[in-house]
């Protein structure tokens, strides 16, 4: 094999993989937010979940994207494990469409359509409103160009193999025994894992089989291996996710392993049935007319028959599969509140801007809830009398302040990475709003820590004590502030369309008015010697910091609701 043919081979494979990725990403962008709404809304039972996974995968042309999205949704708490398993099963059926598209490349000269697609694609890309459609056409063109080049290179490889070395190599494994079958099964698994694309390995398998270098029996073992290899990607990605997400990824692997197991037992009758449906003779010579077309079709048909049959068999055992994966992957016992760990954002689960924005929104919600817990500790701190308990609680508040700083930086870094992609104006606006949200949430954390430090300063002196009226006023201000935080978290965890923003603004007005009232009263009380000036200063520092905190809450609400709500207010 000359070096030129080798580079054509790997180059055409790279073109095919890039085309698949570009086409899939464009389809996901076109689907937009509707994609996640479909996954969330149409999974009421195992059968609708299966259909949802099937149609979404067929639409975006990537089972990996659907599976990673499903694992992400389980990680974010948007899907249950049972729903995720049924969606993953449907994705296995949806991904078979890709193999049929590839088999078209062996039916006619598919590269004839490449250059018109490139020409139309570049026109659409320069039309800003049609840019995503242009990216899609470029992806399709690259896919077909890569497929056509791969097919032509495979034929050149066979023609230039005058010594017959390549054919002889594969003929060494033609014996239909268990070990040869296992070898090609493992080869399909490892190659798919290395390339991270079952479609690319399917294209290579079709090319080798259509030229007669690889026998059809060896080809179907590679196809089965590809089905296992493609499941490992989601398991690698889910390593940094929560327990339920890891269970969903493991269920993906288990389903395909079970499928491969039963199909190996019934391989000959099952494959003979597929060949009969397609009209393929297993003893057909590679030189026979129409062999290349039939070989590619039988591989695509076997891939479809395997995934459809496996799904229809296992869909009835979803509860049992759930119990199995729960037994294998145990729930971790740890105090997650006290450890800094992003729960929903992981480095691997970021496939499209839409999905990434959803992950960040869930993380910001977690950030917001953590901040309110921090304020709850501050409320407890002000009345704590025991020195040991006081110091322990103050240390926890200090730790939470550090966590809030880290969360802001990590989420901002993630959003900055997302913003490097081609984004719609709507998604850009979302990211700008989210960056403002995390900045204001971190400021709330700073305010909580400032209040705690002020209380600590009073505790250390042991001479400056608040009277009952001051404690009552501080408690009332804390109650108002906590109400503002509760409203903020209701918005962060719900839909902004049903949120009454006026309640937040009314609470903020109450906080401002109460702060002004206490400020005036404080001057009178100090002049009447009801407490010292030093006590009055500490007291008003707490009250003023609560008022600042309320302002930050309003800023978060405005960022989430959008500019229009701010102008209305």
């Amino acid at each position: 094999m000359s070096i030129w043919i080798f580079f054509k081979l790997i180059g055409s494979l790279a073109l095919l993989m890039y085309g698949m990725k570009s086409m899939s990403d464009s389809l996901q962008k076109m689907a937009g937010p509707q994609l996640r709404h479909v996954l969330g809304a149409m999974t009421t039972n195992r059968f609708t979940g299966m259909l949802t996974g099937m149609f979404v995968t067929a639409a975006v042309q990537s089972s990996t994207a659907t599976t990673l999205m499903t694992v992400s949704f389980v990680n974010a708490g948007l899907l249950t494990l049972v729903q995720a398993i049924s969606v993953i099963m449907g994705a296995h059926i949806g991904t078979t469409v890709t193999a049929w598209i590839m088999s078209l490349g062996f039916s006619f000269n598919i590269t004839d359509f490449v250059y018109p697609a490139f020409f139309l694609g570049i026109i659409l890309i320069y039309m800003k409103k049609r840019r995503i459609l242009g990216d899609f056409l470029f992806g399709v063109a690259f896919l077909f160009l890569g497929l056509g080049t791969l097919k032509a290179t495979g034929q050149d490889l066979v023609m230039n193999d005058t010594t017959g070395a390549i054919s002889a190599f594969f003929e060494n494994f033609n014996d239909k025994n268990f070990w040869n079958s296992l070898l090609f099964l493992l080869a399909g698994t490892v190659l798919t894992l290395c390339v991270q694309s079952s479609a690319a390995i399917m294209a290579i398998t079709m090319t080798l089989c259509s030229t007669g270098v690889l026998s059809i029996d060896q080809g179907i073992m590679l196809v089965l291996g590809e089905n296992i290899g493609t499941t490992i990607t989601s398991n690698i990605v889910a390593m940094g996710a929560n327990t339920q997400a890891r269970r969903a990824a493991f269920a993906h692997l288990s389903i395909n392993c079970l499928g491969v197991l039963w199909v190996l037992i019934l391989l000959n009758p099952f494959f003979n049935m597929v060949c009969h449906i397609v009209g393929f003779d297993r003893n057909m010579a590679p030189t026979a007319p129409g062999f290349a077309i039939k070989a590619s079709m039988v591989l695509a048909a076997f891939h479809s028959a395997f995934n459809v049959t496996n799904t229809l068999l296992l869909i009835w055992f979803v509860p049992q599969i759930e119990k199995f994966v729960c037994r294998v992957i145990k729930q971790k016992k740890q105090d997650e509140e006290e450890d800094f760990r992003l729960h929903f954002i992981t480095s691997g689960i970021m496939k499209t801007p839409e999905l990434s924005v959803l992950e960040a929104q869930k993380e910001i919600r977690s950030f917001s809830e953590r901040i309110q817990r921090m304020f709850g500790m501050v409320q407890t701190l002000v009345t704590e009398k025991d020195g040991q308990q006081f110091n322990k609680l103050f240390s926890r508040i200090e730790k939470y302040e550090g966590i809030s700083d880290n969360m802001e930086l990590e989420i901002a870094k993630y959003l900055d990475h997302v913003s490097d992609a081609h984004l719609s104006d709507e998604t850009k606006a979302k990211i700008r709003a989210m960056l403002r949200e995390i900045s204001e949430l971190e400021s709330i954390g700073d305010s909580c820590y400032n209040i705690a430090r002020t209380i600590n300063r009073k505790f250390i002196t042991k001479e400056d004590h608040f009277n009952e009226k001051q404690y009552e006023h501080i408690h009332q201000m804390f109650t108002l502030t906590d109400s503002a935080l509760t409203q903020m978290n209701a918005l962060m965890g719900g839909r902004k369309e049903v949120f009454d923003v006026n309640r937040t603004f009314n609470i903020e007005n109450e906080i401002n008015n109460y702060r002004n009232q206490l400020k005036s009263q404080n001057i009178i009380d100090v002049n009447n010697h009801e407490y010292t000036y030093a006590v009055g200063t500490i007291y008003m520092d707490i009250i003023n910091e609560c008022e600042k905190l309320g302002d930050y809450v309003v800023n978060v609400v405005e960022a989430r609701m959008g500019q229009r709500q701010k102008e209305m207010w």
Side-chain angles (χ1 to χ4, degrees):
M1 181 173 67
S2 70
I3 192 71
W4 175 242
I5 291 180
F6 171 75
F7 280 121
K8 277 186 73 176
L9 194 66
I10 60 172
S12 57
L13 185 61
L15 267 178
L16 186 142
M17 290 173 64
Y18 178 77
M20 281 296 300
K21 184 179 186 305
S22 179
M23 185 176 73
S24 176
D25 287 351
S26 301
L27 285 167
Q28 290 174 65
K29 287 175 187 176
M30 282 191 275
Q34 288 76 21
L35 198 60
R36 68 168 184 260
H37 293 325
V38 166
L39 271 178
M42 294 183 65
T43 52
T44 52
N45 60 59
R46 71 185 83 170
F47 298 103
T48 56
M50 180 191 72
L51 291 172
T52 302
M54 184 173 69
F55 287 121
V56 168
T57 304
V60 301
Q61 282 298 294
S62 174
S63 62
T64 302
T66 304
T67 304
L68 292 184
M69 202 180 301
T70 304
V71 171
S72 299
F73 284 8
V74 174
N75 190 49
L78 298 177
L79 288 179
T80 65
L81 184 56
V82 170
Q83 289 173 325
I85 291 171
S86 61
V87 170
I88 288 168
M89 285 182 173
H92 292 159
I93 298 177
T95 192
T96 61
V97 176
T98 308
W100 285 105
I101 292 172
M102 289 184 175
S103 71
L104 289 175
F106 295 87
S107 303
F108 55 90
N109 190 3
I110 207 163
T111 54
D112 291 343
F113 299 91
V114 167
Y115 299 104
F118 275 133
F119 177 70
L120 185 57
I122 197 67
I123 293 172
L124 292 171
I125 285 173
Y126 279 101
M127 296 168 61
K128 290 185 179 179
K129 290 184 179 179
R130 298 285 184 269
R131 180 169 186 171
I132 296 175
L133 184 58
D135 288 338
F136 168 73
L137 281 176
F138 256 71
V140 172
F142 276 125
L143 168 64
F144 287 168
L145 182 61
L147 195 59
T149 310
L150 191 65
K151 173 188 169 186
T153 307
Q155 292 169 346
D156 290 343
L157 187 64
V158 174
M159 290 175 64
N160 292 334
D161 183 30
T162 53
T163 61
I166 297 172
S167 300
F169 172 78
F170 285 106
E171 281 175 6
N172 291 329
F173 306 99
N174 269 347
D175 187 20
K176 298 175 183 178
N177 59 48
F178 172 77
W179 297 111
N180 281 344
S181 298
L182 183 63
L183 178 65
F184 279 92
L185 181 73
L186 290 173
T189 303
V190 172
L191 286 171
T192 305
L193 177 61
C194 294
V195 178
Q196 293 284 296
S197 172
S198 59
I201 305 303
M202 176 62 84
I204 292 174
T205 305
M206 285 184 174
T207 301
L208 292 173
C209 288
S210 65
T211 55
V213 170
L214 193 69
S215 73
I216 291 294
D217 294 277
Q218 293 167 337
I220 61 169
M221 295 310 297
L222 283 175
V223 170
L224 290 175
E226 290 155 17
N227 277 276
I228 297 175
T230 193
T231 65
I232 298 174
T233 305
S234 58
N235 281 270
I236 293 171
V237 168
M239 283 181 179
N242 63 25
T243 304
Q244 287 295 84
R246 286 185 287 113
R247 285 171 175 169
F250 184 67
H252 186 209
L253 175 63
S254 303
I255 289 163
N256 275 10
C257 285
L258 281 170
V260 169
L261 189 62
W262 72 255
V263 89
L264 285 176
I265 296 170
L266 303 172
L267 185 59
N268 273 325
F270 186 78
F271 187 43
N272 285 334
M273 179 195 70
V274 173
C275 290
H276 177 71
I277 293 170
V278 176
F280 177 78
D281 183 2
R282 292 177 69 173
N283 298 315
M284 184 186 291
T287 54
F291 176 81
I293 298 170
K294 287 288 186 180
S296 63
M297 281 184 65
V298 80
L299 288 174
F302 180 82
H303 188 232
S304 297
F306 165 70
N307 282 291
V308 170
T309 308
N310 191 45
T311 298
L312 293 178
L313 284 174
L314 296 182
I315 193 69
W316 305 99
F317 300 99
V318 169
Q320 287 75 19
I321 293 170
E322 182 197 21
K323 288 178 184 176
F324 170 70
V325 296
C326 289
R327 190 172 296 175
V328 173
I329 299 178
K330 305 290 186 184
Q331 182 74 45
K332 285 185 178 180
K333 293 182 179 179
Q334 60 180 17
D335 186 3
E336 293 182 346
E337 284 187 18
E338 295 300 312
D339 296 318
F340 168 62
R341 183 176 78 84
L342 296 178
H343 295 273
F344 306 111
I345 291 175
T346 54
S347 58
I349 311 181
M350 193 181 76
K351 283 301 194 182
T352 62
E354 271 298 330
L355 180 57
S356 304
V357 167
L358 173 67
E359 298 293 340
Q361 282 177 341
K362 298 294 291 184
E363 200 64 70
I364 292 171
R365 178 184 175 184
S366 174
F367 187 8
S368 178
E369 290 169 350
R370 191 188 289 267
I371 288 294
Q372 187 166 13
R373 289 197 296 271
M374 183 181 180
F375 185 73
M377 295 176 203
V378 173
Q379 288 179 279
T380 305
L381 190 72
V382 77
T383 55
E384 184 60 63
K385 304 296 182 183
D386 182 79
Q388 187 175 356
Q389 290 297 321
F390 183 94
N391 291 331
K392 185 178 179 181
L393 190 57
F394 182 72
S395 295
R396 284 190 72 195
I397 294 169
E398 277 188 313
K399 187 173 183 179
Y400 264 63
E401 201 278 331
I403 289 172
S404 72
D405 289 345
N406 288 330
M407 287 192 79
E408 181 199 13
L409 290 173
E410 290 301 318
I411 297 172
K413 190 189 299 180
Y414 183 80
L415 290 173
D416 183 57
H417 187 42
V418 174
S419 64
D420 288 340
H422 296 301
L423 305 173
S424 64
D425 291 339
E426 181 186 358
T427 306
K428 286 177 183 176
K430 280 182 186 177
I431 290 176
R432 284 195 299 270
M434 290 161 75
L435 286 169
R436 185 184 173 197
E437 286 169 22
I438 59 173
S439 174
E440 300 296 342
L441 285 170
E442 194 276 332
S443 296
I444 294 173
D446 287 344
S447 285
C448 290
Y449 184 52
N450 289 338
I451 295 170
R453 287 198 303 173
T454 303
I455 297 168
N456 185 54
R457 192 169 77 240
K458 179 189 79 70
F459 190 84
I460 291 171
T461 60
K462 298 187 181 296
E463 295 179 2
D464 300 327
H465 297 292
F466 296 146
N467 59 30
E468 288 186 12
K469 191 185 292 184
Q470 284 177 309
Y471 274 119
E472 185 181 332
H473 293 158
I474 290 171
H475 177 71
Q476 181 62 30
M477 179 60 87
F478 279 173
T479 301
L480 286 171
T481 308
D482 193 58
S483 296
L485 288 167
T486 301
Q487 285 295 306
M488 179 186 75
N489 277 316
L491 171 61
M492 303 301 272
R495 295 178 60 188
K496 65 182 182 181
E497 292 83 4
V498 297
F499 182 76
D500 184 6
V501 72
N502 291 320
R503 293 187 66 181
T504 296
F505 296 148
N506 290 338
I507 293 171
E508 170 59 13
N509 285 332
E510 284 187 60
I511 291 173
N512 289 342
N513 293 335
Y514 196 52
R515 187 277 311 265
N516 294 337
Q517 177 188 332
L518 295 180
K519 187 176 180 181
S520 301
Q521 187 63 45
N522 179 63
I523 296 170
I524 295 170
D525 290 343
V526 169
N527 288 335
N528 291 337
H529 304 291
E530 291 194 20
Y531 45 79
T532 65
Y533 181 82
V535 171
T537 301
I538 294 172
Y539 167 65
M540 283 312 300
D541 282 348
I542 295 171
I543 299 298
N544 286 327
E545 202 61 55
C546 284
E547 192 276 331
K548 284 183 187 176
L549 195 154
D551 289 340
Y552 297 138
V553 169
V554 170
N555 292 341
V556 173
V557 171
E558 284 179 354
R560 176 55 64 96
M561 294 298 289
Q563 185 66 28
R564 188 178 60 150
Q565 287 290 342
K566 183 178 180 182
E567 289 169 355
M568 286 172 61
W569 183 47

